[in-house]
Amino acid sequence: MSRRVVRQSKFRHVFGQAAKADQAYEDIRVSKVTWDSSFCAVNPKFLAIIVEAGGGGAFIVLPLAKTGRVDKNYPLVTGHTAPVLDIDWCPHNDNVIASASDDTAIMVWQIPDYTPMRNITEPIITLEGHSKRVGILSWHPTARNVLLSAGGDNMIIIWNVGTGEVLLSLDDMHPDVIHSVCWNSNGSLLATTCKDKTLRIIDPRKGQVVAERFAAHEGMRPMRAVFTRQGHIFTTGFTRMSQRELGLWDPNNFEEPVALQEMDTSNGVLLPFYDPDSSIVYLCGKGDSSIRYFEITDEPPFVHYLNTFSSKEPQRGMGFMPKRGLDVSKCEIARFYKLHERKCEPIIMTVPRKSDLFQDDLYPDTPGPEPALEADEWLSGQDADPVLISLRDGYVPPKHRELRVTKRNILDVRPPSVPRRSQSASDAPLSVRSTLLHPGPIYISPYRPYTTRPLCPPPQQQHTLETLLEEIKALRERVQAQEQRITALENMLCELVDCTD
């Protein structure tokens, strides 16, 4: 007589529960743009949602504690001239968010800890390099200020946000529209899916396709792919008969899938959200009213169904909280922010435990906000795993940290030149025109009218140049002092806001 043995797993009884009505965010006009992105991004400090806006694109940023009804005049983040398609928080600075738009531009914004009085319209930096709309953004998991963008021009561009420069451009690897891009855990490889039905593993620094699989899912609908903790690729897509399907692949052997399962016949694209700490993947379909979750293990069938969270209303988008933003005292292992037509509702995934003590097996050390590499180090070929932190005592977001952009230009390497005059060079006297062209004034010989040779400047003009340079130096020092004063005042304002809260 055979006895069926139930698979042992600490996540077998994970259940989802919607937050109470007073913990939701009401009266938000969620964007109606037809685009398969999550429309929502969240971190331990802020919730960002792409919203409807007239005359361009916009998104709203709310502190997590500001629940309830949102004022219709609440300040927005505006600046794009066309609808915003994707937003993504920087993993190394909780006050920095990037946005991509139909206007081909990428903008990086600094969000203050206090509530602004008017719309935020000036980004820290605008990145322009795509010729068509930009629909995908993804920050590097371990390198500071490295941002990836993918657009309708079939290009992937990797930026150094700290300087505004293009680090890498991958423009000849995808013959059609890119559907998804995902970094692996240390940011050395990319997994991409494309309209040509090909799944690719790319080494961006070498500019090479390491491995590829054609028709990982045979349907024509969009496919998604994410890296798992074990180095496998988890994909969602459609069969030839338009049934939704999930797959698990080994990049070292793309011939046969590790696992392949059919799900249902719904039309919505499945968005996978993967938690590497628990190795659970959550599948949220646009237009669905449920969240399915699976555990990925090394034992057959490798992808184990756990449960489904169901609700009455369909979801327009979904935000996924990083692990450091969860409440460990309640055994919370995931939190989603479900977008309805006019509100955002938190959904909490919990492992039932009787003890109130910290559960080490549920919360291993998780990636923290400190980067492991600088952008130049990563570009030179270095790799590093994320810097981990413990959640035993909970996580407290750091104070406001400003992102400083340093644009490199010729003025950084050349000595300061003479300031421009109000009059044109043709109207200026000979001594001024010669100063702009030569290191010293020109001496015109009476015997050879067009022979010139530089001479030492007269004492009076040399004194004038020294005076100008000293004045420029003094102005620079004054500007730096004012910047420091502004930073100090902003920090004082943040402390006052924290005290009042």
Side-chain angles (χ1 to χ4, degrees), residues 27 60 70-76 116-119:
D27 204 16
I60 188 171
V70 178
D71 192 299
K72 65 178 182 179
N73 296 319
Y74 193 90
L76 304 177
M117 300 300 295
R118 57 182 65 87
N119 289 351

Side-chain angles (χ1 to χ4, degrees), residues 25-35 37-40 47-53 58-60 62 76 84 87 286 314-318 337-345:
Y25 305 83
E26 303 278 352
D27 204 16
I28 298 174
R29 298 172 58 210
V30 179
S31 175
K32 298 179 181 178
V33 175
T34 306
W35 187 254
S37 71
S38 60
F39 286 0
C40 179
L47 169 68
I49 301 170
I50 302 175
V51 296
E52 287 287 304
F59 59 96
I60 188 171
L62 300 168
L76 304 177
V84 177
I87 51 178
K286 274 205 162 185
Q315 52 224 18
R316 300 279 296 275
M318 193 72 72
Y337 287 78
K338 175 181 174 180
L339 299 186
H340 298 252
E341 187 174 355
R342 298 282 297 187
K343 74 173 183 178
C344 177
E345 177 186 37

